[in-house]
Amino acid sequence: MRVLWALKRLSRMVRGYSIRRLAVPLTLLIITIALGLYLLLAYSLANDPRLVPVAFQEAKSILLVTAHPDDETLFFSPTITYGRNNAAVKRSLLVISSGNYDGLGDKRQSELHGSCEQLGIAQERCIVLDIAELQDNPKQWWDEDRVQELVASYTEKWHVDLIFTFDNGGISGHINHRSVSAGVRKYIQSRPDAPATYMLQSTPLLRKYSSLLDLIPTAIPFSWRILKALLTTPLGREVDHNTVHDVVPLAAYNDKALLVSSWHTYKVSRAAFSQHDSQYSWDRGLYLVVSRYMWFNTLEKMV
């Protein structure tokens, strides 16, 4: 019995020692993989149509629909900054409420226009609404028909051919975010000629605040697309959908997207959020570093 007890104790000691020894190299390996994926997806494959659909690359008038001022930077930064240097593309932002929950609506409207300036969105296409029945309220589900009407109006006004918005989870679960998603979905489902629309995917809390480390689980559903891109795309060469040869029609990849911000684009996003002075706090400062949504976005096509 003593021998058996001693063997069990020794086994536990060895096992514990091994785990401690493996912890550091395993952590370094995970960080290295995450950084490698970041460099690959933010630079070498940043425009590959298997990851960034043709619908994104051919769009000439893009509309982002959000609920409150600062949503465009806190959640949609990699999306709204994609292709920001292409003068042929018109980007627009429609914010359904002024964010007046704390009585700061006027200030937040002004801050939003500062954010648009940093993001390169023209002021006439940077719209924040202040409608009585659509006020910032974490307990109010907005009228989907009213949201639908507004989206339809601005889509037609600006000849929009690509829309971005929240998914059913609203990223943070905010009821206003979710009702915006529902309103946009209602618009899409009611019009056969509606433009392609993509929803920003919500993730569990731990993944949401895992920064670039979350690229590892995020890349798994895209692994076959990444592999095909690597096999057919010479690294270091500029890629667009016109230069890619694939046995599968490129339109087949339009169901989802993975957009990863470069370091320069990330800094632009931080500069844009810095305009939202009323919303800045120490935890928001931390958010700008640890949130996956500041670094990359995964989107799914709304059907």
Side-chain angles (χ1 to χ4, degrees):
M1 291 296 293
R2 284 187 175 182
V3 173
L4 184 61
W5 174 81
L7 288 172
K8 286 181 177 179
R9 184 174 180 184
L10 179 62
S11 175
R12 284 197 296 269
M13 288 175 63
V14 170
R15 196 159 54 240
Y17 179 68
S18 298
I19 291 173
R20 286 195 298 271
R21 287 191 64 185
L22 284 173
V24 173
L26 187 60
T27 300
L28 291 175
L29 177 62
I30 291 171
I31 292 172
T32 301
I33 293 172
L35 288 176
L37 279 171
Y38 171 70
L39 293 173
L40 179 69
L41 297 170
Y43 295 96
S44 299
L45 303 181
N47 294 308
D48 194 283
R50 273 69 64 104
L51 302 171
V52 184
V54 173
F56 287 49
Q57 300 187 36
E58 292 185 340
K60 298 302 180 185
S61 181
I62 298 170
L63 174 63
L64 170 61
V65 185
T66 67
H68 316 108
D70 78 12
D71 289 346
E72 80 287 350
T73 51
L74 292 178
F75 308 120
F76 292 92
S77 281
T79 297
I80 195 59
T81 54
Y82 177 77
R84 60 186 292 272
N85 295 322
N86 187 346
V89 178
K90 303 295 184 183
R91 292 175 299 136
S92 311
L93 174 61
L94 175 62
V95 185
I96 303 298
S97 84
S98 64
N100 196 39
Y101 186 69
D102 295 318
L104 298 172
D106 290 341
K107 180 173 176 56
R108 296 193 69 184
Q109 287 189 54
S110 176
E111 291 172 345
L112 181 75
H113 288 288
S115 174
C116 283
E117 185 176 352
Q118 292 292 325
L119 293 170
I121 299 174
Q123 293 301 312
E124 64 270 17
R125 286 177 173 256
C126 182
I127 304 298
V128 54
L129 304 174
D130 189 11
I131 300 171
E133 65 269 30
L134 300 175
Q135 291 294 311
D136 181 5
N137 188 332
K139 297 181 180 179
Q140 179 187 357
W141 183 273
W142 288 341
D143 184 346
E144 297 169 24
D145 289 324
R146 190 73 178 97
V147 173
Q148 176 191 194
E149 291 170 5
L150 293 165
V151 173
S153 174
Y154 284 96
T155 297
E156 292 167 11
K157 177 182 178 180
W158 290 326
H159 306 290
V160 171
D161 54 6
L162 182 62
I163 298 175
F164 300 119
T165 193
F166 295 103
D167 70 354
N168 295 332
I171 311 304
S172 64
H174 198 298
I175 196 169
N176 296 162
H177 297 180
R178 293 166 56 215
S179 54
V180 165
S181 178
V184 174
R185 181 181 293 275
K186 205 163 191 177
Y187 164 71
I188 295 301
Q189 293 177 340
S190 66
R191 301 177 198 277
D193 60 342
T197 301
Y198 287 79
M199 306 174 293
L200 182 62
Q201 292 184 304
S202 300
T203 57
L205 193 65
L206 181 61
R207 289 187 59 188
K208 182 178 179 180
Y209 296 115
S210 296
S211 192
L212 291 176
L213 294 179
D214 194 55
L215 268 177
I216 298 174
T218 296
I220 293 173
F222 291 90
S223 55
W224 177 239
R225 301 183 186 212
I226 293 171
L227 181 60
K228 289 186 78 172
L230 285 172
L231 292 174
T232 59
T233 304
L235 294 181
R237 182 180 298 178
E238 187 69 25
V239 177
D240 62 50
H241 66 278
N242 294 314
T243 62
V244 171
H245 301 285
D246 196 311
V247 294
V248 177
L250 294 180
Y253 300 105
N254 279 348
D255 59 324
K256 58 185 177 181
L258 173 56
L259 300 173
V260 184
S261 290
S262 67
W263 174 246
H264 174 72
T265 306
Y266 170 72
K267 290 194 295 182
V268 169
S269 302
R270 288 185 64 105
F273 179 74
S274 71
Q275 302 301 307
H276 295 285
D277 185 61
S278 67
Q279 302 305 298
Y280 197 86
S281 57
W282 72 267
D283 57 317
R284 284 288 172 85
L286 183 62
Y287 177 96
L288 298 180
V289 177
V290 302
S291 173
R292 76 192 291 275
Y293 292 100
M294 289 298 300
W295 293 97
F296 58 94
N297 285 166
T298 48
L299 303 103
E300 194 172 284
K301 191 173 184 181
M302 186 178 285
V303 181

